[in-house]
């Protein structure tokens, strides 16, 4: 009877399986706290084998034990009791027999119910119950009062389970084992453990959960509000797709019409030019033919005169022949006629035609909707982790693993050429790859050594390290200009590694734990660094104050030196926290002299202030899909280009920084 009231308060949705939409049978609770029938879960697993399945309500991926299947899920005892007890409860309607006293065997009609003893009592047993001191604190109510909601609430608060081992009521909660136990269990198995009475432990947990529940409730409200804003966007998405498709088709028609118009103009221009040139050519041919006939006639006359004419005839004709020679100038006529000999040709910019058309055509843009991001919470360790939006937006990703075009094996370093192309050090393929700023492949530069780093000189030439103690100076087509020798390196077996060019055009390069500064002529003007201050793998850059910024990979820090090589400060230490680094690789500085470093083993890119103070994580694995970042460079527009080892998602990425 009381359980029936409790069931009514819980609501039908809690007692109904959301798969079969029927009453729960052998209810099993999932890690996401949703409950279903065991037979329904088993049928789902038969249809979806593979070791896991998704909750039908929240779609959470639920892992399964290898052999146990759905039976390994925790039984929902509360709902099991709620679905079974109403069937066993005795109804007090006038159409059914009254409940007999359960405290004696006389079969007398019960008049009262002891909430603490959970017994129905006849009048005699009630009088005896009231006289005994041990029962003085018990609450006894009439059978009519048992129907009230107040008593039902009291019953629910006192409800407990029985020990499966001793069949005794579980009156204690072992805080060591985090389980409810009976008195026998306390004495035998939990005597050295900490425990509380069930009611006291439940009240503490109720208070703690209530505090957390209020936070979750606020998040629920925020998520509902976000969904209210997002649903219209979802519904309008097909119309947006149709509208964009129509716009693309309209733009294509416009471009086709424009191309047809230009085509007709070009053909008309061609025909006009052709008519003019054809007339000039015909006139030139006629003139040359006339001149040719006159020349042949002169040659024939002169030849006969020279062969058969007498001296007197020759002398009498000399003056006429000389006049004809002046009039018939073969060289002059040939030069004049040559001007009319021109071929027709149409020059088409085929090399960049696709790119030019794509630029003129326009592109599809995703404009951020004015929605507040939903606030989510992680209820359990198995729940899906939420992602927060970062301050960098991915513009383009390209490149995969391999040895072909746009395929890389360790894209270790990046640089921007003077004409805004992206230069990628493809280390393990012994080459550079050149991409346009929109990711289009341009070409490769094959090398006979394993390159380590690349930088760009102000004249457009590229500096490539990795060839022992030399710096190769080449153009982006691979033509070698010269070789710069770096003298004074202590470690003979190490190669040139990190390289950069400062605002003054000086070249900064590292070999092991030493930093070398070369002037524009390639002469070493400064050397600093030793084993006590720096480690063997260094990456370098500079800032607007001509200070040298060094990423010390094996010491897990970034150090800044002044223009004379004296250390100013060091920032970072090994770890995963904010401002900590783990194998930092390439490093660059922005216009404000902030330091951006590829935090390789932490799978992120970190931003430090010009004083070395930690500002924020620019890119992370969770938000931006970064995996072991290697190369960094900034374009002239302020975009951040990153190379990493996430070959499946594109290992060359371009981000817009906000």
């Amino acid at each position: 009877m009381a359980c029936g009231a409790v069931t009514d308060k819980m609501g039908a949705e809690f007692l109904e399986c959301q798969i079969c939409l029927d009453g729960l049978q052998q209810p099993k609770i999932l890690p996401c706290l949703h409950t279903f029938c065991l037979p329904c879960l088993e049928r789902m697993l038969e249809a979806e084998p593979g070791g896991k399945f998704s909750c039908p309500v929240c779609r959470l991926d639920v892992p399964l034990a290898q052999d146990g299947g759905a039976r390994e899920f925790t039984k929902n005892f509360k709902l099991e009791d709620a679905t079974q007890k109403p069937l066993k409860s005795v109804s007090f309607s006038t159409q059914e027999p009254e409940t007999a006293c359960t405290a004696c065997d006389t079969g007398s009609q019960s008049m009262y119910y002891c909430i603490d003893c959970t017994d129905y009592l006849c009048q005699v047993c009630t009088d005896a119950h009231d006289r005994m001191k041990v029962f003085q604190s018990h609450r006894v109510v009439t059978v009519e009062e048992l129907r009230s909601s107040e008593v039902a609430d009291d019953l629910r608060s006192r409800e407990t389970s029985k020990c499966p081992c001793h069949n005794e009521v579980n009156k204690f909660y072992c805080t060591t084992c985090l389980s409810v136990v009976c008195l026998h269990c306390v004495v035998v198995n939990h005597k050295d453990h900490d425990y509380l009475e069930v009611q006291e432990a439940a009240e503490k947990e109720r208070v703690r959960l209530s505090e957390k529940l209020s936070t979750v409730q606020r998040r629920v409200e925020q998520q509902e509000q976000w969904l209210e804003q997002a649903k219209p966007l979802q519904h309008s998405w097909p119309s947006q797709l149709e509208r964009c498709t129509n716009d693309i088709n309209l733009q294509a028609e416009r471009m086709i019409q424009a191309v047809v118009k230009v085509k007709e103009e070009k053909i008309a221009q061609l025909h006009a030019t052709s008519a003019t040139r054809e007339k000039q050519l015909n006139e030139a041919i006629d003139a040359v033919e006339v001149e040719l006939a006159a020349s042949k006639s002169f040659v024939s006359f002169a030849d006969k005169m020279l062969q058969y004419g007498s001296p007197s005839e020759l002398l009498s004709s000399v003056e006429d022949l000389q006049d004809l020679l002046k009039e018939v100038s073969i060289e002059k006529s040939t030069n004049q006629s040559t001007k009319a000999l021109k071929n027709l040709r149409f020059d088409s910019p085929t090399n960049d035609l696709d790119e030019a058309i794509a630029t003129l055509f326009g592109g599809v843009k995703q404009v951020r909707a004015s929605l507040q991001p939903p606030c989510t919470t992680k209820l359990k360790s198995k729940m899906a982790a939420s992602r927060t939006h970062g301050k960098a937006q991915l513009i383009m990703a390209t490149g995969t693993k391999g040895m072909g075009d746009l395929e890389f094996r360790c894209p270790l370093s990046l640089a921007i050429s003077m004409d805004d192309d992206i230069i990628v050090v493809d280390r393990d393929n012994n080459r550079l790859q050149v991409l346009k700023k929109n990711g289009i492949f341009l070409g490769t530069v094959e090398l006979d050594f394993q390159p380590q780093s690349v930088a760009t000189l102000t004249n457009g030439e590229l500096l490539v390290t990795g060839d022992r103690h030399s710096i190769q100076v080449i153009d982006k087509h691979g033509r070698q200009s010269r070789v710069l020798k770096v003298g004074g390196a202590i470690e003979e077996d190490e190669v040139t590694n990190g390289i950069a060019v400062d605002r003054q055009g000086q070249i900064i390069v590292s070999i092991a734990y030493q930093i070398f500064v070369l002037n524009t002529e390639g002469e070493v003007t400064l050397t600093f660094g030793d084993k006590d201050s720096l480690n063997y793998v260094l990456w370098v850059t500079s800032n607007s104050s001509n200070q040298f910024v060094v990423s010390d990979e094996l010491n897990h820090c970034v150090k800044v030196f002044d223009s004379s090589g004296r250390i100013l400060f060091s920032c970072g230490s090994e770890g995963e926290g904010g401002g900590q680094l783990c194998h930092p690789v390439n490093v660059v500085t922005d216009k404000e002299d902030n330091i951006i470093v590829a935090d390789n083993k932490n799978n992120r890119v970190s931003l430090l202030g010009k004083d070395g103070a930690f500002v924020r994580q620019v890119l992370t694995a969770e938000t931006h899909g970064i995996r072991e970042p290697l190369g960094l460079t900034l374009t002239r527009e302020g975009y951040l280009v990153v190379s990493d080892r996430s070959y499946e998602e594109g290992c060359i990425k371009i981000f817009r920084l906000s």
Side-chain angles (χ1 to χ4, degrees), residues 323-347:
D323 291 339
L324 287 174
L325 283 174
K326 291 180 182 180
E327 293 178 3
V328 183
S329 177
I330 298 177
E331 180 180 358
K332 178 179 179 181
S333 63
T334 303
N335 290 339
Q336 290 176 344
S337 62
T338 302
K339 296 179 180 180
L341 298 178
K342 294 183 179 180
N343 291 321
L344 289 175
R345 185 181 68 189
F346 175 65
D347 288 332

Side-chain angles (χ1 to χ4, degrees), residues 500-655:
V501 179
D502 68 10
R503 272 70 165 180
Q504 296 178 325
Q506 296 185 119
I507 302 170
I508 313 161
V509 64
S510 67
I511 301 178
Y513 45 79
Q514 290 180 283
I515 306 294
F516 300 86
V517 181
L518 289 67
N519 61 20
T520 55
E521 304 299 325
E523 300 171 342
V524 176
T525 60
L526 176 66
T527 304
F528 63 92
D530 53 46
K531 285 185 178 180
D532 296 331
S533 60
L534 296 169
N535 216 315
Y536 272 79
V537 184
L538 306 177
W539 309 90
V540 295
T541 189
S542 65
N543 59 25
S544 62
S545 300
N546 298 319
Q547 296 170 343
F548 306 119
V549 183
V550 180
S551 173
D552 191 341
E553 181 177 350
L554 301 182
N555 281 332
H556 312 287
C557 65
V558 173
K559 296 182 178 180
V560 179
F561 299 81
D562 65 13
S563 57
S564 62
R566 292 175 300 188
I567 187 167
L568 297 175
F569 58 86
S570 175
C571 50
S573 61
E574 185 175 8
E576 300 178 355
Q580 291 184 311
L581 304 169
C582 186
H583 290 275
V585 196
N586 278 278
V587 60
V588 295
T589 57
D590 61 15
K591 294 180 180 178
E592 288 76 31
D593 287 343
N594 295 315
I595 301 169
I596 305 174
V597 59
D599 192 359
N600 182 266
K601 296 304 180 183
N602 281 329
N603 298 315
R604 64 194 184 193
V605 175
S606 299
L607 176 66
L608 311 176
K610 61 182 179 181
D611 58 352
F614 173 71
V615 178
R616 63 183 173 90
Q617 307 298 353
V618 179
L619 305 175
T620 63
E622 296 78 11
T623 305
H624 307 94
I626 294 296
R627 178 173 175 260
E628 296 186 16
L630 297 167
L632 291 178
T633 190
L634 287 167
T635 68
R636 289 173 179 79
E637 294 87 357
Y639 293 162
L640 178 63
V641 187
V642 182
S643 62
D644 64 8
R645 295 183 185 274
S646 53
Y647 297 106
E648 295 79 5
E649 300 178 3
C651 58
I652 308 297
K653 301 179 175 68
I654 300 178
F655 293 91

Side-chain angles (χ1 to χ4, degrees), residues 135-287:
F135 299 137
Q136 292 298 310
S137 61
H138 288 200
R139 183 182 179 187
V140 179
V141 298
T142 64
V143 171
E144 288 75 13
E145 291 175 335
L146 192 59
R147 295 189 178 96
S148 67
S149 60
E150 179 183 354
V151 175
D153 290 339
D154 193 8
L155 284 172
R156 183 175 59 182
S157 66
R158 294 166 180 260
E159 187 175 347
T160 184
S161 59
K162 287 189 176 182
C163 175
C165 298
H166 308 109
N167 200 29
E168 295 182 6
V169 175
N170 290 324
K171 295 186 177 181
F172 299 94
Y173 179 73
C174 178
T175 57
T176 304
C177 301
L178 302 179
S179 61
V180 289
V181 294
C182 68
L183 180 60
H184 192 78
C185 290
V186 170
V187 174
V188 177
N189 300 323
H190 301 263
K191 59 182 178 179
D192 296 327
H193 295 183
D194 296 327
Y195 54 88
L196 298 171
E197 290 188 358
V198 167
Q199 293 294 334
E200 181 182 357
E203 285 301 322
K204 290 184 177 180
E205 289 298 322
R206 184 175 286 108
V207 171
R208 186 176 66 85
L209 289 175
S210 297
E211 293 175 351
K212 293 187 175 181
L213 187 61
S214 61
T215 302
V216 177
Q217 183 60 39
R218 288 194 298 271
R219 291 175 175 172
V220 167
E221 294 172 357
Q222 292 172 343
Q223 290 170 333
E224 289 176 343
Q225 183 180 5
W226 185 87
L227 284 174
E228 289 179 1
Q229 302 174 47
K231 289 292 184 181
L233 180 62
Q234 181 187 35
H235 295 155
S236 67
W237 197 259
S239 62
Q240 292 184 40
L241 174 62
E242 183 179 2
R243 184 173 66 252
C244 288
T245 303
N246 293 336
D247 291 344
I248 290 173
N249 290 331
L250 180 60
Q251 179 70 352
E253 290 297 330
R254 290 172 179 171
M255 294 190 71
I256 291 172
Q257 293 174 5
V259 169
V260 171
K261 182 179 179 181
V262 172
K263 179 193 75 172
E264 293 174 350
E265 292 176 352
K266 295 296 182 183
I267 290 177
Q269 180 184 357
L270 172 64
H271 288 167
T273 302
S274 174
T276 302
R277 292 301 181 191
E278 187 175 9
K279 181 180 179 181
Q280 292 175 350
L281 181 60
N282 291 336
E283 291 175 351
I285 290 175
D286 291 342

Side-chain angles (χ1 to χ4, degrees), residues 119-135:
D119 278 328
Y120 289 93
L121 304 174
C122 63
Q123 186 63 56
V124 175
C125 291
T126 302
D127 295 338
H129 184 278
D130 291 343
R131 287 195 299 269
M132 298 182 68
K133 292 183 178 180
V134 69
F135 299 137

